[in-house]
C-alpha cells in the first residue's frame, strides 16, 4: 500500500538541517490496480471498486471450495457405504440418511450463496409490492433497537430526507420506501461482521443508484445528490449499531493508536521538517483550526460529514503552509504537516472513524475528488505514525527508546549525561509550548530559591537553639556566683511612729443642733 512505502529522506546524521523531510509520490496514493482512483490502506492499497471485486471473487472462490469439499465428502460416504453393503436387511436406510445429510448441507450452501443478493434485491423487485399483509405489518413495526436510537438528530435527518424527496414525486416515494425497508432489515443483522455489514450497505447504494438511472432515468448528477441524502438518512439511523461494532477489533485499534500517539508527544516540527512557523499569528490560528476539525470528526454521524471535517482540516493546513512560505503549498509539504496535526490532536477513536468512513461512505467520494485525496492522505499519515521509528526521525535508536519510554526528552536533556548541551531557550514547536517551557524554567529557579531559604531557616533555627543554651548557661553561672537571699520583713505596730505619716488624720466629732 502507499502508506507502507512512506519513508522520510534525510541527509547525513551530522547535518539535520539538510533533511528533505517526509516524501511520498502522489502516484502511490492511487489504486494498485491502476484504475486511476484513490487507494486505501484498509483495502490493501485498492480503491473501493477494485476491493469489492476482489472481495466478491474471494467469496465466490470460497463457495466453490466448499462445494468441492461437499462433493468429496459425498463420494467418500457413498464409497464407505458400498464397502459395508454386504447385509441387505436395510438396504435403503443408510443411503437415504447419507443423501439426506448432504441435501441439507447443499441447501445450506445454496442459501448462503444467494442470501446477500436476495436480501438486497428484494427491496427493488416488483414482488415486494405484493407482499403479504403479515409481512407488511412486520415491516411497519419498528424494532426496539431502532426505537431506542430515536433522538433529535435522527428526527431531524428524517424530516430533511422527507422534505428532499417531496420534490422528486414518484422516485422520491420509491427511495423513501426502500430506505425504510433497508433500515428495518438491518436491525436483524447485529451479529454480522463489519465487512458483511459494509457489503449490505454498499450493495444497497449500488442497487439504488442503478435503479434511479435505469428505471427513473435520473441524471448522474441528480443521482449523486439523492445518494448523498440516502447516505445521510440511513447512516444517521444506523450509526449506533454499525459504528465500532462489537464483532470488530476497532476499539482495540483505537486504544493502541491513542497510546502510540501519546508516547510520541515529544516529536516536534523540526523532526518532521514541517514547513510551518507557529510564531506567525495567522499560522497558529490555522493550526488550531486544523486540530479542532480533525477532533470534531468523531462527533459526526454521517460519513460525508466526517469527510468534510478532514477536508476542512486539510485546507487549514494548506493555508498555514502558504502563509509561512509565501507560496502555494506542495503535496510534499502537506503530508508531514498532516502527520504533525494528528500527533498534536490525538483524535478520539481515530481508527474507528477511518474504518466507518471506509465501510459505509458513498464509494464515489473515496475514489475521486478532494475528499478522497485528503482521506487517503490521512490514512497514510496514520499508517506512518504506527510505523514511526528512530530511522524515520533520524535519531539514535537508544535515544528514540528513551524518548518513547519517557525517561528523557529531546528538548530538556539531563545535565549529568553525555548528551550535547543546548541553549537555555530551545526552539520549540509553538508559542504555547514556548510559554510552558518558560514557566518550567521559572519554576526551576523558584525551586532553587526555596531550597536556599529552607537552608537559611534551618541555620537560623540552629543559631537560636545555640544562643538559648549559651544564655541559660550564663544565667546559671551568675546565679551560682551571686546567690539570691530573701530576708523576711521586720514586724511593726500599726500605730508606730514610723508609719504615722502614712495614716489618715483622726476623725473629728461633729455636733448637730437638735
Amino acid at each position: 500500500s502507499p502508506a507502507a512505502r512512506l519513508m522520510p529522506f534525510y541527509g547525513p546524521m551530522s547535518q539535520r538541517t539538510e533533511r528533505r523531510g517526509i516524501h511520498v509520490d502522489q502516484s502511490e496514493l492511487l489504486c494498485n490496480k491502476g484504475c486511476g482512483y484513490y487507494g486505501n490502506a484498509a483495502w490493501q492499497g485498492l480503491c473501493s471498486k477494485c476491493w469489492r471485486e476482489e472481495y466478491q471473487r474471494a467469496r465466490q472462490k470460497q463457495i466453490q471450495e466448499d462445494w468441492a469439499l461437499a462433493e468429496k465428502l459425498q463420494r467418500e460416504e457413498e464409497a464407505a457405504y458400498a464397502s459395508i453393503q454386504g447385509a441387505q436387511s436395510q438396504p435403503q436406510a443408510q443411503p437415504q440418511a447419507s443423501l439426506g445429510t448432504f441435501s441439507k448441507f447443499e441447501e445450506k450452501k445454496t442459501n448462503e450463496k444467494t442470501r446477500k443478493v436476495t436480501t438486497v434485491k428484494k427491496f427493488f423487485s416488483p414482488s415486494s409490492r405484493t407482499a403479504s399483509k403479515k409481512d407488511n405489518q412486520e415491516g411497519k413495526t419498528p424494532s426496539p433497537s431502532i426505537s431506542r436510537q430515536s433522538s433529535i438528530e435522527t428526527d431531524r435527518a428524517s424530516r430533511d430526507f422527507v422534505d428532499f424527496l417531496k420534490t422528486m414525486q414518484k422516485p422520491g416515494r420509491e427511495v423513501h420506501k426502500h430506505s425504510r425497508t433497508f433500515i428495518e432489515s438491518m436491525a436483524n443483522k447485529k451479529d454480522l461482521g463489519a465487512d458483511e455489514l459494509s457489503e449490505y450497505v454498499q450493495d444497497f447504494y449500488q442497487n439504488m443508484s442503478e435503479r434511479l438511472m435505469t428505471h427513473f432515468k435520473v441524471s448522474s448528477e441528480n443521482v449523486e445528490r439523492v445518494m448523498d441524502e440516502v447516505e445521510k438518512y440511513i447512516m444517521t439511523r444506523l450509526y449506533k449499531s454499525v459504528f465500532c461494532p462489537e464483532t470488530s477489533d476497532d476499539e482495540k485499534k483505537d486504544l493502541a493508536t491513542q497510546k502510540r500517539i501519546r508516547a510520541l508527544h515529544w516529536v516536534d516540527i523540526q523532526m518532521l521538517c514541517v514547513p510551518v512557523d507557529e510564531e506567525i499569528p495567522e499560522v497558529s490560528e490555522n493550526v488550531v483550526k486544523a486540530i479542532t476539525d480533525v477532533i470534531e470528526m468523531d462527533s459526526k454521524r454521517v460519513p460525508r460529514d466526517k469527510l468534510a471535517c478532514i477536508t476542512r482540516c486539510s485546507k487549514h493546513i494548506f493555508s498555514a503552509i502558504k502563509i509561512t512560505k509565501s507560496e502555494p503549498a506542495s503535496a510534499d509539504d502537506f503530508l508531514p504537516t498532516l502527520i504533525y496535526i494528528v500527533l498534536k490532536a490525538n483524535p478520539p477513536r481515530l481508527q474507528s472513524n477511518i474504518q466507518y468512513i471506509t465501510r459505509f461512505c458513498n464509494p464515489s467520494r473515496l475514489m475521486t475528488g478532494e475528499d478522497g485525496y485528503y482521506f487517503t492522505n490521512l490514512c497514510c499519515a496514520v499508517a506512518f505514525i504506527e510505523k514511526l521509528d528512530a530511522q524515520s526521525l533520524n535519531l539514535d535508536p537508544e535515544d528514540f527508546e528513551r524518548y518513547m519510554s519517557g525517561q528523557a526528552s529531546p528538548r530538556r536533556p539531563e545535565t549529568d549525561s553525555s548528551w550535547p548541551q543546548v541553549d537555555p531557550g530551545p526552539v520549540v514547536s509553538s508559542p504555547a509550548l514556548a510559554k510552558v517551557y518558560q514557566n518550567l524554567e521559572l519554576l526551576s529557579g523558584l525551586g532553587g530559591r526555596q531550597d536556599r531559604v529552607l537552608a537559611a531557616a534551618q541555620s537560623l533555627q540552629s543559631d537560636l537553639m545555640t544562643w538559648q543554651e549559651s544564655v541559660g548557661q550564663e544565667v546559671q553561672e551568675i546565679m551560682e556566683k551571686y546567690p539570691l537571699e530573701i530576708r523576711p520583713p521586720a514586724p511593726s505596730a500599726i500605730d508606730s511612729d514610723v508609719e504615722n505619716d502614712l495614716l489618715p488624720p483622726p476623725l473629728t466629732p461633729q455636733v448637730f443642733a437638735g
Side-chain angles (χ1 to χ4, degrees):
S1 64
R5 295 190 292 269
L6 251 177
M7 288 299 295
F9 295 88
Y10 298 131
M13 292 289 290
S14 61
Q15 299 178 353
R16 296 187 178 181
T17 57
E18 297 180 2
R19 294 180 297 182
R20 292 174 54 191
I22 302 169
H23 172 77
V24 59
D25 191 349
Q26 295 304 297
S27 62
E28 296 180 354
L29 300 178
L30 301 178
C31 177
N32 291 341
K33 291 285 188 179
C35 62
Y37 297 123
Y38 290 120
N40 193 317
W43 293 328
Q44 301 177 3
L46 303 177
C47 67
S48 60
K49 180 176 180 293
C50 295
W51 170 253
R52 290 196 66 202
E53 293 176 354
E54 290 291 330
Y55 180 83
Q56 293 174 357
R57 188 179 298 110
R59 186 180 181 88
Q60 186 65 26
K61 181 180 178 181
Q62 183 64 38
I63 292 176
Q64 293 176 356
E65 291 177 354
D66 291 344
W67 273 96
L69 177 61
E71 293 176 354
K72 180 180 177 181
L73 292 176
Q74 181 189 16
R75 289 192 299 267
E76 291 178 355
E77 289 180 0
E78 292 177 350
Y81 174 75
S83 64
I84 60 173
Q85 200 179 7
Q88 300 294 329
S89 58
Q90 296 179 352
Q92 296 181 351
Q94 295 295 336
Q96 290 178 354
S98 174
L99 293 175
T101 303
F102 175 73
S103 63
K104 292 181 180 179
F105 180 81
E106 182 181 5
E107 180 181 358
K108 179 180 179 181
K109 296 307 299 182
T110 303
N111 292 336
E112 181 180 355
K113 182 178 180 181
T114 58
R115 173 171 56 88
K116 182 184 68 174
V117 178
T118 303
T119 303
V120 178
K121 289 289 187 181
K122 70 179 182 181
F123 301 138
F124 305 95
S125 61
S127 60
S128 62
R129 303 175 183 174
T130 59
S132 62
K133 181 178 181 181
K134 180 179 179 180
D135 293 338
N136 290 335
Q137 291 177 351
E138 291 178 355
K140 294 180 181 179
T141 304
S143 64
S145 62
I146 297 298
S147 300
R148 286 194 299 269
Q149 294 176 10
S150 178
S151 63
I152 297 177
E153 189 170 357
T154 56
D155 293 341
R156 182 170 61 250
S158 299
R159 290 194 301 269
D160 294 343
F161 188 56
V162 172
D163 293 340
F164 172 79
L165 295 178
K166 284 181 180 179
T167 60
M168 300 179 60
Q169 298 181 355
K170 185 177 180 180
R173 291 193 296 269
E174 288 288 322
V175 171
H176 185 262
K177 173 185 174 182
H178 297 317
S179 299
R180 284 179 57 88
T181 305
F182 178 74
I183 291 175
E184 292 167 358
S185 68
M186 289 293 290
N188 301 321
K189 297 179 174 59
K190 299 178 182 179
D191 298 332
L192 295 181
D195 291 336
E196 292 179 323
L197 292 174
S198 174
E199 279 295 304
Y200 277 109
V201 174
Q202 295 297 334
D203 284 342
F204 180 78
Y205 289 162
Q206 182 177 354
N207 286 282
M208 175 68 77
S209 59
E210 290 178 356
R211 181 172 177 83
L212 289 174
M213 287 188 292
T214 58
H215 188 74
F216 294 103
K217 307 300 180 182
V218 181
S219 63
S220 58
E221 181 180 354
N222 289 331
V223 168
E224 287 297 324
R225 293 177 56 246
V226 174
M227 294 310 301
D228 287 341
E229 295 297 326
V230 169
E231 176 191 309
K232 177 181 178 181
Y233 173 67
I234 289 178
M235 299 317 302
T236 302
R237 298 290 300 272
L238 298 178
Y239 178 77
K240 292 183 179 180
S241 58
V242 300
F243 182 85
C244 190
E246 297 179 357
T247 56
S248 68
D249 59 347
D250 293 348
E251 184 176 1
K252 182 179 179 181
K253 292 180 179 178
D254 287 334
L255 296 175
T257 301
Q258 192 174 41
K259 182 178 179 180
R260 174 73 173 176
I261 295 177
R262 192 181 297 116
L264 291 168
H265 67 91
W266 47 269
V267 178
D268 57 15
I269 285 182
Q270 287 75 26
M271 294 180 180
L272 295 172
C273 296
V274 176
V276 168
D277 183 7
E278 292 188 84
E279 295 292 339
I280 303 175
E282 293 83 358
V283 174
S284 179
E285 182 180 356
N286 278 283
V287 170
V288 172
K289 289 181 179 179
I291 294 174
T292 303
D293 287 331
V294 75
I295 293 177
E296 187 182 2
M297 173 178 61
D298 186 60
S299 65
K300 305 298 182 181
R301 290 192 172 192
V302 184
R304 182 184 62 178
D305 295 341
K306 293 182 181 291
L307 278 178
C309 293
I310 299 174
T311 301
R312 290 197 303 271
C313 169
S314 302
K315 290 183 177 180
H316 288 309
I317 291 175
F318 274 106
S319 298
I321 298 174
K322 182 178 180 180
I323 295 173
T324 301
K325 300 180 65 176
S326 299
E327 62 182 17
S330 64
D332 290 340
D333 295 332
F334 169 68
L335 185 57
T337 310
L338 179 60
I339 294 173
Y340 172 72
I341 293 297
V342 173
L343 290 175
K344 292 271 289 184
N346 196 358
R349 301 191 291 185
L350 180 58
Q351 293 286 359
S352 292
N353 281 287
I354 290 178
Q355 293 297 330
Y356 178 74
I357 295 173
T358 301
R359 293 166 183 159
F360 303 109
C361 184
N362 191 338
S364 61
R365 285 186 172 273
L366 299 182
M367 294 190 299
T368 57
E370 63 178 5
D371 290 343
Y373 173 76
Y374 294 140
F375 179 71
T376 303
N377 276 272
L378 177 62
C379 295
C380 292
V382 174
F384 178 83
I385 292 173
E386 292 175 345
K387 299 178 181 179
L388 190 64
D389 55 10
Q391 183 181 2
S392 302
L393 298 176
N394 198 23
L395 295 174
D396 183 76
E398 295 182 0
D399 292 345
F400 180 82
E401 292 300 328
R402 297 182 69 186
Y403 299 159
M404 291 295 292
S405 62
Q407 297 178 359
S409 172
R411 303 186 186 93
R412 292 179 288 115
E414 301 174 0
T415 56
D416 56 349
S417 65
S418 59
W419 294 4
Q421 299 297 317
V422 296
D423 295 334
V427 179
V428 293
S429 56
S430 68
L433 287 177
K435 187 65 176 178
V436 168
Y437 285 105
Q438 181 181 356
N439 292 337
L440 288 176
E441 293 178 0
L442 180 61
L443 289 176
S444 178
L446 292 177
R449 293 179 58 185
Q450 183 182 13
D451 293 338
R452 293 192 294 272
V453 170
L454 289 177
Q458 292 177 356
S459 177
L460 177 61
Q461 184 180 9
S462 177
D463 293 342
L464 288 175
M465 294 178 64
T466 303
W467 177 79
Q468 183 180 3
E469 292 177 356
S470 63
V471 170
Q473 185 177 1
E474 291 179 0
V475 171
Q476 186 66 25
E477 292 177 354
I478 293 175
M479 290 181 65
E480 292 178 355
K481 184 177 181 180
Y482 304 101
L484 180 63
E485 296 181 3
I486 301 177
R487 298 177 180 180
S492 60
I494 191 172
D495 54 352
S496 63
D497 296 337
V498 178
E499 297 182 356
N500 285 342
D501 296 338
L502 302 178
L503 295 176
L507 296 176
T508 304
Q510 296 182 3
V511 180
F512 296 93

